Amino acid sequence: DQQVKQNSPSLSVQEGRISILNCDYTNSMFDYFLWYKKYPAEGPTFLISISSIKDKNEDGRFTVFLNKSAKHLSLHIVPSQPGDSAVYFCAASGGSGNTPLVFGKGTRLSVIA
Amino acid sequence: NAGVTQTPKFRVLKTGQSMTLLCAQDMNHEYMYWYRQDPGMGLRLIHYSVGEGTTAKGEVPDGYNVSRLKKQNFLLGLESAAPSQTSVYFCASSKGSGTSTDTQYFGPGTRLTVL
């Protein structure tokens, strides 16, 4: 049973517009959420995170929103740039410090110039 | 700092052959992880370690063994490779802060093909 779900395998957005990537989770014990970005032939790199005590975290063009009641988080990229084209993974952890991250299957974002 | 490095970058095996993938990190991290990434499946945890000399099973451990003899190294072994183990393998490490806010840092990956 998937605990972290990214229901959109792919997303295309025009350069300069907003990209919104969504993630849902089922485990109410999760209290920390991360987004990773992955380019082809490279390892995933950490992008942004949010703790369950917050509902928003912003870092430059990237903002993550958390809706705990809906068990939903989203990553907003504004404005989108061609270099943002990558696969984005949502991940979650919680319960104890030794609990490994649980990853979603990823969403491939294509930003079209 | 090199961060997390993986050796080799590519490998082709025949069914039944064995091999070891090496992961090294120079960040003095306590925790290390092995994942595999398959198309449409995301990142799935194979094994992980919360300290030197300790290992634990992840989501898909069958067919793999691991060892963490030194803090900086985490080895992933395939004793008898099968075509189902064709995948891209990623190693990661994290501080091991004892809290859930423990960010993982990934290596560049090893692309393994089993014929």
Side-chain angles (χ1 to χ4, degrees):
Chain A
D1 182 33
Q2 268 192 283
Q3 297 186 72
V4 177
K5 300 179 185 179
Q6 293 178 257
N7 292 321
S8 297
S10 62
L11 174 68
S12 289
V13 172
Q14 280 202 313
E15 181 179 6
R17 307 294 289 265
I18 184 171
S19 295
I20 301 176
L21 292 87
N22 294 305
C23 178
D24 297 295
Y25 62 96
T26 58
N27 189 340
S28 58
M29 295 296 289
F30 288 148
D31 60 4
Y32 189 61
F33 305 89
L34 307 88
W35 285 94
Y36 282 81
K37 177 178 179 179
K38 185 184 178 306
Y39 292 118
E42 294 184 11
T45 55
F46 170 72
L47 186 59
I48 192 170
S49 63
I50 187 167
S51 166
S52 61
I53 62 173
K54 295 185 175 181
D55 54 18
K56 175 183 174 181
N57 188 27
E58 192 171 351
D59 183 2
R61 296 186 298 113
F62 302 91
T63 303
V64 56
F65 295 92
L66 175 63
N67 182 334
K68 283 181 291 184
S69 61
K71 293 192 177 68
H72 177 84
L73 63 154
S74 60
L75 174 68
H76 292 212
I77 306 173
V78 183
S80 300
Q81 299 174 353
D84 296 328
S85 296
V87 176
Y88 290 79
F89 290 101
C90 172
S93 69
S96 74
N98 287 350
T99 304
L101 291 178
V102 179
F103 284 85
K105 293 185 177 182
T107 296
R108 181 179 301 278
L109 173 66
S110 299
V111 180
I112 305 161
Chain B
N1 281 359
V4 180
T5 58
Q6 294 183 230
T7 309
K9 287 187 167 50
F10 304 94
R11 185 71 187 269
V12 178
L13 289 179
K14 293 182 180 178
T15 298
Q17 287 185 318
S18 63
M19 78 161 294
T20 300
L21 282 67
L22 171 64
C23 175
Q25 53 93 4
D26 61 2
M27 296 175 282
N28 201 34
H29 283 173
E30 287 293 332
Y31 293 5
M32 296 185 76
Y33 313 82
W34 275 108
Y35 293 88
R36 60 179 288 174
Q37 185 194 12
D38 302 294
M41 298 298 291
L43 292 162
R44 293 185 293 170
L45 183 66
I46 304 171
H47 286 281
Y48 65 102
S49 168
V50 299
E52 183 178 319
T54 71
T55 62
K57 292 181 181 179
E59 180 187 355
V60 288
D62 294 343
Y64 305 95
N65 56 73
V66 288
S67 63
R68 183 98 182 269
L69 298 179
K70 293 183 178 181
K71 185 177 182 179
Q72 64 267 34
N73 295 337
F74 195 29
L75 278 63
L76 177 71
L78 286 74
E79 289 187 349
S80 179
S84 60
Q85 294 177 303
T86 293
S87 187
V88 181
Y89 291 85
F90 290 102
C91 176
S93 70
S94 64
K95 278 186 183 177
S97 59
T99 69
S100 57
T101 60
D102 201 28
T103 301
Q104 292 183 20
Y105 298 89
F106 285 81
T110 295
R111 183 174 294 275
L112 175 66
T113 302
V114 183
L115 302 176

